[in-house]
Amino acid sequence: MASYYEIEGGKPLEGHIRVSGAKNAATKQIVASLLTEEECLLRNVPRIGDTKVTLDICKSVGLQYTWSGYEDLILCTPQITTPEVPVAFSGLNRIPILLLGPLIHRYGKAVIPMLGGCNIGERPVDFHIQALEALGAKVVFEEDRYFAIADQLHGAIIELPFPSVGATENILLSAVMAKGTTFIKNAATEPEIIDLVMMLQKMGAIIYVDVDRTIVIEGVSKLYAAKHTVINDRIEAASFGIAAVITGGNVIVEGAKQAHMLTFLNRLRQVGGGFEILDRGIRFYHPGTSLKPIAIETDVHPGFMTDWQQPFVMLMTQIDGLSVLHETVYENRFGYTDELRRMGAEIQLYKQCLGERPCRFRNRDYEHSCVVKGPTPLQAADITIPDLRAGFSYLIAAAVAKGVSQVRGIQYVERGYSNILEKFQELNANICQRQDDSVKIN
Ligand code: EPZ
């Protein structure tokens, strides 16, 4: 039986919550542990659906793991028991493709099912496959599965057409034990990638990150046990920051790191949102004066993250004037705005690049820019979450709207945010989880 959240809007969010470890760092680090037969300890791992799926995927090829305390994971893969990730994991998340390198290193071959993840664009894996081939693997796609084989991967010079996060991670995990040196040009350098590099270095890898988006990996023959603490989730931190500002509230997000959120904080300051950097995190608040419109473009790091876009568009609906958002990372990431329009938001989508520079989606028939007219009062509604990051912005929308909203499709938010219901409750939101007609948690 499907459950949903019921939220009565109009209450400022107040108090403090602790941000969890980053999903997009932890899941990759779990995969990295497959590169050694020794034991790795990962701390600050978020207890979310995506972590569970990633653990199940890795377990299917030989990972043994135990939770130690609430957020620490002991990971050990003495032996790869099979190089095949079962087809049952097809469509669940983006992780299986990252197993190609570790499985090839430890077994000589890998069989990976088709990928999944949020439906926010085509999300091809051509960069991953071309990179693996450049490193010496033979890769074939047959019957919805990738078959890769190599006796030994070797170093290569790989220039990515776009600084893809997943492809950069895939090359790191594949080149780290390849014979010789690999150069990734036009690499992604998101903090989650640097965190993966740090874990790999603790395991014995030699990796340089140059200032010009070049990552140099000197292959080593063996990796070892390591202990690592996952960085905190800057997407969750920013989302709660916006939830505080938009509801006229005051929230300390403990563990939010200024260094990972510079661009977000600059944009928040430009619209007039309040924040204060504390030793233990960041306090977000509404300053009491009206907020100013803004034009934002999403970009790869250190630009404005595509995963900050959805809560920021929500904020734009409450800003006085016309704001613009140009999405340049994914071609189809505004589907969630339909439900917001039903609640009263005035959001218009455009196929043009409404930004300082044309992006890859110019003249390609994708609605990848939006203009938001605010402020618009929002009315409660029965809404269904289409993807993970949209999910958080729906929770914010319901927290702002007049009346009681039902937010369905909560498995998406539970996939990526740890204890999300409890965190909103800690901040005094009127939220409960319902299943059919009965209250489950309140
Ligand atoms: C990661 O996705 C994150 N997912 C995404 O977060 C995040 O939005 C994205 O990076 C950008 O920061 C995980 O870490 C699990 P990409 P990823 O490869 O690695 C194109 C969330 O909600 N591309 O950087 O899949 C691609 O289509 C998720 O947590 C190719 O064309 O993103 C996209 O337009 C959503 N060919 C762009 O590059 C390829 O082979 C960026 O994708 C690979 C990518």
Side-chain angles (χ1 to χ4, degrees):
M1 243 175 291
S3 52
Y4 60 93
Y5 294 154
E6 193 164 88
I7 305 175
E8 182 172 2
K11 219 172 156 194
L13 297 190
E14 307 267 358
H16 57 97
I17 45 119
R18 191 178 68 80
V19 68
S20 300
K23 159 179 103 68
N24 291 346
T27 46
K28 324 298 172 66
Q29 291 164 14
I30 292 169
V31 176
S33 78
L34 295 177
L35 285 161
T36 176
E37 69 265 24
E38 297 185 10
E39 190 174 281
C40 293
L41 170 65
L42 265 191
R43 300 193 190 92
N44 197 33
V45 180
R47 299 293 292 251
I48 53 176
D50 238 20
T51 300
K52 175 156 184 356
V53 170
T54 303
L55 286 169
D56 287 347
I57 290 169
C58 293
K59 189 175 166 192
S60 77
V61 299
L63 170 74
Q64 299 166 3
Y65 71 88
T66 44
W67 286 98
S68 153
Y70 187 62
E71 291 177 324
D72 294 353
L73 255 182
I74 299 165
L75 304 155
C76 191
T77 312
Q79 180 186 349
I80 296 291
T81 48
T82 167
E84 289 195 30
V85 175
V87 175
F89 292 111
S90 178
L92 297 184
N93 70 8
R94 310 283 303 159
I95 295 301
I97 196 109
L98 300 181
L99 269 69
L100 285 173
L103 290 176
I104 290 174
H105 285 306
R106 291 198 60 192
Y107 205 98
K109 69 174 190 173
V111 184
I112 303 293
M114 225 169 70
L115 290 196
C118 284
N119 185 14
I120 51 182
E122 286 171 23
R123 308 191 77 179
V125 289
D126 48 337
F127 306 163
H128 298 247
I129 302 305
Q130 283 157 16
L132 256 294
E133 285 171 343
L135 292 165
K138 184 170 182 312
V139 189
V140 180
F141 185 65
E142 250 177 43
E143 293 173 358
D144 289 347
R145 294 192 297 170
Y146 296 92
F147 294 77
I149 188 160
D151 289 337
Q152 162 81 68
L153 296 178
H154 56 71
I157 300 176
I158 300 165
E159 174 143 16
L160 290 175
F162 182 81
S164 152
V165 168
T168 302
E169 291 162 341
N170 209 337
I171 302 170
L172 280 166
L173 292 166
S174 304
V176 71
M177 282 170 66
K179 198 168 165 35
T181 302
T182 298
F183 295 79
I184 317 176
K185 297 186 169 185
N186 204 24
T189 57
E190 270 63 5
E192 293 75 18
I193 288 178
I194 304 304
D195 207 46
L196 176 62
V197 168
M198 286 164 66
M199 161 136 180
L200 290 169
Q201 190 179 53
K202 288 173 186 168
M203 293 173 72
I206 302 173
I207 301 170
Y208 301 88
V209 181
D210 291 342
V211 285
D212 63 346
R213 286 199 178 280
T214 301
I215 297 182
V216 183
I217 306 135
E218 285 181 20
V220 295
S221 56
K222 191 165 163 53
L223 292 175
Y224 305 91
K227 293 179 184 166
H228 185 72
T229 302
V230 178
I231 55 164
N232 286 340
D233 196 319
R234 65 198 170 113
I235 306 171
E236 184 191 346
S239 304
F240 273 111
I242 288 187
V245 173
I246 201 171
T247 58
N250 185 357
V251 171
I252 295 177
V253 182
E254 290 176 7
K257 291 268 177 292
Q258 180 187 13
H260 298 160
M261 298 171 67
L262 285 174
T263 307
F264 171 80
L265 294 172
N266 286 335
R267 294 315 210 175
L268 189 61
R269 175 156 288 157
Q270 283 168 331
V271 299
F275 67 88
E276 179 188 5
I277 309 298
L278 309 172
D279 287 344
R280 60 177 168 141
I282 304 179
R283 180 171 78 90
F284 294 94
Y285 59 95
H286 193 291
T289 49
S290 67
L291 303 178
K292 297 180 282 290
I294 192 166
I296 295 182
E297 270 178 307
T298 61
D299 207 345
V300 295
H301 188 75
F304 189 94
M305 282 188 95
T306 169
D307 301 289
W308 290 328
Q309 182 252 94
Q310 307 73 5
F312 220 99
V313 164
M314 258 314 301
L315 183 61
M316 288 169 167
T317 69
Q318 303 307 306
I319 290 178
D320 197 356
L322 288 180
S323 293
V324 179
L325 207 140
H326 180 206
E327 168 62 57
T328 77
V329 179
Y330 290 109
E331 68 274 25
N332 184 18
R333 218 176 180 182
F334 284 124
Y336 71 96
T337 56
D338 287 348
E339 297 280 58
L340 297 181
R341 264 191 295 274
R342 275 210 306 121
M343 295 177 78
E346 290 192 31
I347 304 173
Q348 185 70 47
L349 303 187
Y350 292 89
K351 292 180 179 169
Q352 287 85 352
C353 294
L354 300 184
E356 280 178 26
R357 56 199 166 79
C359 74
R360 292 174 298 147
F361 311 131
R362 183 163 183 253
N363 296 333
R364 288 188 55 202
D365 214 24
Y366 297 120
E367 291 185 324
H368 69 289
S369 295
C370 80
V371 176
V372 186
K373 183 170 175 235
T376 45
L378 299 184
Q379 299 301 323
D382 191 327
I383 50 180
T384 302
I385 295 171
D387 67 75
L388 167 61
R389 303 303 170 193
F392 201 112
S393 68
Y394 282 12
L395 298 184
I396 300 176
V400 170
K402 190 167 172 355
V404 178
S405 294
Q406 289 76 35
V407 182
R408 301 179 194 278
I410 60 175
Q411 71 278 6
Y412 284 110
V413 273
E414 292 178 349
R415 220 193 92 199
Y417 298 96
S418 174
N419 299 319
I420 185 82
L421 176 73
E422 291 76 7
K423 285 178 179 170
F424 269 87
Q425 286 172 338
E426 275 171 53
L427 298 176
N428 270 332
N430 271 334
I431 180 171
C432 63
Q433 184 168 347
R434 286 188 183 274
Q435 208 155 18
D436 291 333
D437 290 319
S438 57
V439 179
K440 198 175 135 206
I441 303 168
N442 200 348

